[in-house]
Amino acid sequence: MTPQGSTPSQVAAALWPAPRWALALLLAMLGMLGPFAVDTYLPAFSGIAQTLQATPAQMQQTLSAFFLTWAVMNLFHGALADSFGRRPVVLCGLAMFALASIGCALAQTLEQLVLFRALQGLFIGIGTVVSRAVIRDLFAPTDAQKVMSQVAMYHALAPAVAPLIGGWLYVLVGWHSIFWLLTGIAVALWLAVYKTLPETLAPEHVQSFRPVPLLRAYRLLLTDGRVTLLAMTSSLPFCAWFLYVLSAPSFLGEHLALRPTQFFLLFVMTVIGIIGGSWFSGRLAGRITPQRQIQLALGLMIGVALLNLLATLLFKPDVTWALFPLAGHAFGWALVMPSTLLLLLDLYPARRGMVSSLQAFFASASIGVMSAVFVPLILHSTALMSLTMLILSVGGGLCWWVIRRRWPGIGRTLSG
């Protein structure tokens, strides 16, 4: 318990006496489950298809089911955390994810794998959604941006390490071992959260989970144009470079002629971009306004996407250059994400969990639509991939332009 009248710094120190980087590491590890659940099994895509006698289009269902259930449940993770607390929701989610991963490891048919991947998706978003609320529960905006940048830097290691581990596990042991690894990670995180993570939801911010107040809150947030547009400002550019992750088996294996054990090169480049952008975002915290930071990041991403399209049209795609635009675009996304997220969380301080849920919903729903609808249509052409990247980047810029026109005060001050 902390005394009334305590400053945010005193509250944070009382609830988390350990170094700030340790909290950032724990929260980043919770968010790492998502990349690990996707990126570790991409190198085994063809092997799983052969074992289960599935076509590439059918295997795409394992991604689509995962992302679509992830998107739907993202609507509820934050509301649950606002009502029942951050800790119990995270612990429950990790336990259920571990059980779903066991189901994937034991799957004998494509239908079984799709089912358990969908169950994984139901719980995979809890760590990310709740960790953002935890950070804003504990820290003032400037410090929160620094912690979020630290989390993003740690979190960025997962996309680089996951495909490397997945590729070698597939080659040496078989694809089932990938899901046993996910089970072990979930169990280890459950123990870490149980022993170390405090409850950060303030008693005065506890919300009712009864249907009528809950629906009223959803209606309030979903009809607030600021919430929708801020969420899409970061979600659309995220999809712009993540479409290459979703298309990795074709982009890397067919267009760039890489072996499964070389897939990690894509993720190494994006990780370099995310770590660089996150570090730069932390350095900018408290020095420039969120408005300027968002504009800088969006301009960078649109420029990189345009150069990527021109290069793809002029030159034959090759590993010597084709991955560099992804690093530059990921740098811009890591720069835009903390500012847009903090602006979102500060719109409704008593509903931070639900706001975080809605942002995650827009991101995961966008990815789900990309995976199910657009990726199968564009994965045969690198020109279409780069054009889609540009369209999505411009879409994020247009969302921010509308915000600036309708609510010019958003992001003008350092405090958010």
Side-chain angles (χ1 to χ4, degrees):
M1 295 293 291
T2 57
Q4 291 186 350
S6 299
T7 66
S9 298
Q10 291 171 331
V11 172
L15 290 175
W16 184 266
R20 187 183 296 175
W21 64 263
L23 175 64
L25 179 60
L26 175 61
L27 298 179
M29 290 174 67
L30 289 174
M32 284 180 185
L33 264 186
F36 261 82
V38 175
D39 300 338
T40 50
Y41 98 123
L42 286 179
F45 226 58
S46 59
I48 299 174
Q50 291 176 4
T51 301
L52 302 182
Q53 298 181 337
T55 66
Q58 289 174 324
M59 281 300 299
Q60 196 70 27
Q61 295 175 14
T62 64
L63 276 175
S64 301
F66 177 86
F67 283 118
L68 289 175
T69 55
W70 185 357
V72 171
M73 276 306 295
N74 270 338
L75 284 172
F76 302 99
H77 296 324
L80 289 166
D82 285 339
S83 299
F84 302 107
R86 316 305 192 199
R87 260 177 62 91
V89 171
V90 172
L91 290 172
C92 180
L94 289 171
M96 297 305 295
F97 177 83
L99 293 175
S101 299
I102 293 173
C104 291
L106 299 176
Q108 299 298 314
T109 66
L110 176 67
E111 291 75 16
Q112 291 175 1
L113 183 59
V114 170
L115 171 63
F116 286 111
R117 286 290 288 172
L119 291 176
Q120 278 187 319
L122 289 176
F123 305 102
I124 193 64
I126 287 178
T128 300
V129 169
V130 177
S131 65
R132 294 167 176 174
V134 168
I135 292 172
R136 193 59 186 91
D137 288 342
L138 290 174
F139 301 105
T142 298
D143 288 334
Q145 182 175 337
K146 293 177 180 178
V147 176
M148 284 184 179
S149 297
Q150 281 185 305
V151 169
M153 290 175 67
Y154 295 137
H155 181 274
L157 296 175
V161 175
L164 182 61
I165 294 175
W168 283 111
L169 280 176
Y170 165 60
V171 171
L172 297 176
V173 187
W175 65 266
H176 296 87
S177 63
I178 293 171
F179 294 105
W180 286 118
L181 171 67
L182 293 176
T183 303
I185 293 174
V187 171
L189 282 174
W190 191 96
L191 293 172
V193 169
Y194 181 78
K195 289 181 174 293
T196 63
L197 187 67
E199 179 55 65
T200 63
L201 179 63
E204 63 271 18
H205 286 167
V206 174
Q207 302 293 320
S208 171
F209 201 71
R210 296 195 305 273
V212 173
L214 196 62
L215 290 174
R216 188 180 296 123
Y218 276 118
R219 180 182 178 184
L220 172 64
L221 269 60
L222 288 171
T223 55
D224 188 336
R226 298 172 301 172
V227 173
T228 303
L229 290 169
L230 278 171
M232 296 307 293
T233 297
S234 62
S235 298
L236 290 178
F238 175 73
C239 290
W241 65 263
F242 199 77
L243 72 89
Y244 284 87
V245 175
L246 296 174
S247 308
S250 295
F251 177 62
L252 300 175
E254 297 176 17
H255 299 300
L256 300 186
L258 298 180
R259 298 187 301 274
T261 52
Q262 296 176 307
F263 279 21
F264 75 95
L265 292 173
L266 166 65
F267 304 96
V268 166
M269 293 303 293
T270 55
V271 163
I272 290 173
I274 292 173
I275 290 178
S278 300
W279 176 84
F280 194 41
S281 175
R283 296 287 294 176
L284 292 178
R287 299 187 179 187
I288 67 172
T289 63
Q291 192 175 93
R292 286 188 60 195
Q293 184 165 327
I294 292 170
Q295 290 171 183
L296 172 67
L298 288 169
L300 173 63
M301 287 186 286
I302 292 172
V304 167
L306 180 59
L307 289 175
N308 184 46
L309 176 59
L310 293 175
T312 303
L313 294 174
L314 293 174
F315 307 104
K316 185 180 185 298
D318 188 85
V319 71
T320 57
W321 66 265
L323 301 180
F324 286 97
L326 304 184
H329 202 281
F331 181 99
W333 177 78
L335 193 59
V336 80
M337 181 60 182
S339 293
T340 54
L341 182 57
L342 286 170
L343 291 176
L344 266 170
L345 294 175
D346 285 346
L347 290 176
Y348 297 93
R351 282 288 186 182
R352 286 179 183 140
M354 184 178 286
V355 172
S356 180
S357 272
L358 289 175
Q359 190 281 332
F361 167 76
F362 281 112
S364 52
S366 301
I367 294 172
V369 172
M370 284 289 300
S371 174
V373 180
F374 293 104
V375 168
L377 297 177
I378 66 174
L379 55 78
H380 67 281
S381 168
T382 55
L384 289 177
M385 290 183 193
S386 57
L387 177 61
T388 305
M389 170 188 263
L390 177 60
I391 292 171
L392 291 170
S393 301
V394 171
L398 288 175
C399 289
W400 179 248
W401 179 80
V402 173
I403 291 172
R404 288 290 313 278
R405 294 275 294 182
R406 294 191 61 186
W407 300 281
I410 288 183
R412 275 188 174 177
T413 62
L414 292 176
S415 64

